[in-house]
């Protein structure tokens, strides 16, 4: 019922030239993978060019962040209205944004509201730090992030949640499938509390954090996990395509 989503977060990697090459290297093979939604999220500067390259394919395009205002005197920022004509998704509340750029739950909440009103589908990221994990606070942190980030926002069918434990991002130390499934189950119950059972059954919840071709099946075979938000491995065409293909085969 929930179509799996395999999303690549390229983060601050690739020049425009490299981004074009990367997407061209993957395009036809990734396009050919059915039964899975495929998404790439390159840096802002490459979005426009890549949207042209992806026209007519089944590969979706997303941004990695946006501002919460539509326009105005916010030097250096990119508004959701600017993105709406080019991409379909926007990643919001990524732990790197929370850690380095002051994206608190309040800020993320404003960004989600703005993204939805511009017609973008938000991918809300939540996840606990190593310290919080070791203190047994995973559930509390993740539910607080969800409640805070989604406060006052009506259910939107385009909403996607990504559970990304901070200690698993870029470290090669992925969670286990069982751990991720447990927390994602809690994310779904939190959604049910906020929006009702029907909404909770519809929303796709992804796992992110050191996902590779080698551990894809471990995560994607879990009943609560509907896809992956892939960082490093999404910059390697063969690896990313293998993740999408393995997901389709499950
Ligand atoms: P890695 O896959 O490189 O661990 O990154 C995960 C991530 O942060 C995706 O948003």
């Amino acid at each position: 019922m929930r179509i799996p989503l395999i999303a690549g977060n390229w983060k601050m990697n690739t020049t425009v030239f490299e981004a074009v090459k990367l997407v061209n290297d993957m395009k036809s093979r990734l396009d050919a993978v059915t039964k899975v939604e495929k998404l790439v999220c390159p840096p802002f500067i490459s979005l426009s060019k890549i949207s042209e390259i992806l026209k007519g394919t089944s590969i979706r395009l997303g941004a990695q962040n946006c501002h919460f205002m539509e326009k105005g005197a916010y030097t250096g920022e990119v508004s959701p209205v600017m993105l709406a004509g080019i991409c379909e998704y926007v990643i919001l509340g990524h732990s790197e944004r929370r850690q380095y750029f002051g994206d608190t739950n309040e800020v993320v909440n404003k960004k989600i509201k703005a993204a939805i009103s511009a017609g973008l589908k938000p991918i809300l990221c939540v996840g606990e730090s190593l310290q919080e994990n070791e203190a047994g606070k995973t559930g509390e942190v993740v539910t607080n992030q969800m409640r805070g980030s989604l406060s006052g926002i009506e259910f939107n069918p385009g909403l996607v949640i990504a559970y990304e434990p901070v200690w698993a991002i870029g470290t090669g130390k992925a969670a286990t499938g069982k751990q991720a499934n447990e927390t994602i189950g809690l994310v779904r119950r939190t959604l049910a509390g906020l929006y009702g059972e029907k909404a909770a059954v519809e929303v796709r919840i992804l796992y992110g954090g050191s996902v590779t071709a080698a551990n894809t099946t471990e995560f994607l075979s879990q009943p609560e996990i509907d896809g992956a938000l892939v960082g490093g491995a999404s910059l390697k065409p063969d690896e990313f395509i293998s993740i999408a293909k393995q997901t389709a085969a499950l």
Side-chain angles (χ1 to χ4, degrees), residues 28-205:
S28 58
R29 286 181 294 158
L30 198 55
D31 186 33
V33 182
T34 55
K35 295 189 274 183
V36 172
E37 200 176 329
K38 296 97 38 182
L39 168 68
V40 291
C41 302
F44 282 136
I45 194 171
S46 299
L47 286 174
S48 170
K49 188 107 186 167
I50 289 183
S51 75
E52 285 164 25
I53 299 173
L54 292 180
K55 254 186 206 134
T57 74
S58 58
I59 306 164
R60 318 294 174 103
L61 189 60
Q64 300 171 17
N65 178 39
C66 68
H67 196 259
F68 50 76
M69 297 299 283
E70 279 186 19
K71 61 177 179 177
Y74 301 98
T75 302
E77 290 295 315
V78 175
S79 94
V81 175
M82 296 171 187
L83 296 172
I86 297 174
C87 32
E88 185 176 343
Y89 286 93
V90 59
I91 299 171
L92 293 171
H94 192 281
S95 61
E96 288 149 17
R97 301 276 336 159
R98 293 178 188 266
Q99 188 178 349
Y100 306 125
F101 304 102
D103 283 13
T104 58
N105 287 333
E106 291 70 30
V107 171
V108 175
N109 180 255
K110 286 191 197 175
K111 291 184 175 188
I112 295 177
K113 283 180 183 156
I116 290 173
S117 52
L120 293 166
K121 296 174 180 168
I123 301 177
L124 165 62
C125 300
V126 296
E128 83 287 3
S129 67
L130 181 61
Q131 219 179 4
E132 289 161 342
N133 181 282
E134 285 173 348
K137 289 189 173 161
T138 300
E140 182 189 328
V141 169
V142 167
T143 44
N144 281 343
Q145 286 173 333
M146 287 187 61
R147 291 204 183 105
S149 305
L150 294 170
S151 166
I153 297 177
E154 270 179 41
F155 176 64
N156 183 283
L159 175 70
V160 174
I161 313 278
Y163 167 58
E164 299 203 310
V166 178
W167 48 270
I169 295 177
T171 58
K173 279 191 214 151
T176 64
K178 194 167 164 282
Q179 278 174 324
N181 190 65
E182 229 168 72
T183 306
I184 289 178
L186 173 67
V187 168
R188 205 176 293 288
R189 288 196 295 283
T190 308
L191 277 173
L194 289 169
Y195 297 122
E197 287 296 334
K198 187 174 172 289
V201 168
E202 279 173 27
V203 172
R204 288 175 298 180
I205 310 175

Side-chain angles (χ1 to χ4, degrees), residues 7-11 91 94-96 125 162 164-166 168-174 207-212 228-235:
N9 174 9
W10 294 9
K11 308 192 180 182
I91 299 171
H94 192 281
S95 61
E96 288 149 17
C125 300
E164 299 203 310
V166 178
I169 295 177
T171 58
K173 279 191 214 151
Y207 168 75
S210 297
V211 173
T212 61
L229 184 53
V230 185
S234 72
L235 297 166

